[in-house]
Amino acid sequence: FARGRLKAGERNKTEARYEQVLEARKQAGELVGYWFEGMTLKLADNTRYTPDFIVMLPDGMIELHEVKGAWAIFQDDAKVKIKVAASMFPFKFIAVAPIAVKLGGGWDVKEF
């Protein structure tokens, strides 16, 4: 059966795991800060996109990160929204999904 959506501002388990990666990068000086669901972009009338994380790099550049449990569940609607947002806004858009531990672990990263 389908799972219900989390309330705004609540992280799922995959987002919480990815946040640990961001925190480690912050502690290492690779990024200045990150914010969960910190902005919503208007793509068209009645169409909005809220990236999972806003990430600020030391040079002031902003990246918007989308976290997915697996690429198979990165549905067409989400793909279209991130591609449209990337064409409209001056940010780097990055989608990440975990790699299974039996395949080496880590994160598979796609840039849009």
Side-chain angles (χ1 to χ4, degrees):
F1 65 95
R3 296 181 183 179
R5 295 181 62 81
L6 296 173
K7 294 178 186 175
E10 285 186 25
R11 293 152 187 74
N12 63 36
K13 290 178 184 177
T14 307
E15 292 162 344
R17 279 181 42 216
Y18 187 67
E19 186 170 28
Q20 292 174 341
V21 171
L22 293 175
E23 182 60 30
R25 290 184 61 200
K26 181 179 174 185
Q27 295 301 319
E30 296 176 16
L31 56 92
V32 174
Y34 58 89
W35 299 266
F36 182 72
E37 294 184 350
M39 75 167 66
T40 298
L41 304 173
K42 182 177 179 180
L43 305 180
D45 289 340
N46 300 314
T47 305
R48 287 167 174 63
Y49 167 63
T50 302
D52 292 320
F53 291 96
I54 303 166
V55 177
M56 180 182 283
L57 303 177
D59 64 1
M61 294 296 293
I62 299 290
E63 296 178 345
L64 302 180
H65 293 209
E66 185 68 27
V67 180
K68 294 297 176 193
W71 293 123
I73 62 171
F74 192 29
Q75 306 207 358
D76 288 339
D77 176 58
K79 287 179 188 173
V80 168
K81 282 185 176 182
I82 198 169
K83 287 179 181 179
V84 168
S87 73
M88 292 176 65
F89 297 97
F91 305 114
K92 182 185 288 188
F93 289 80
I94 295 173
V96 300
I99 299 170
V101 173
K102 65 183 177 184
L103 298 175
W107 296 87
D108 186 13
V109 179
K110 296 185 187 302
E111 188 176 321
F112 290 85

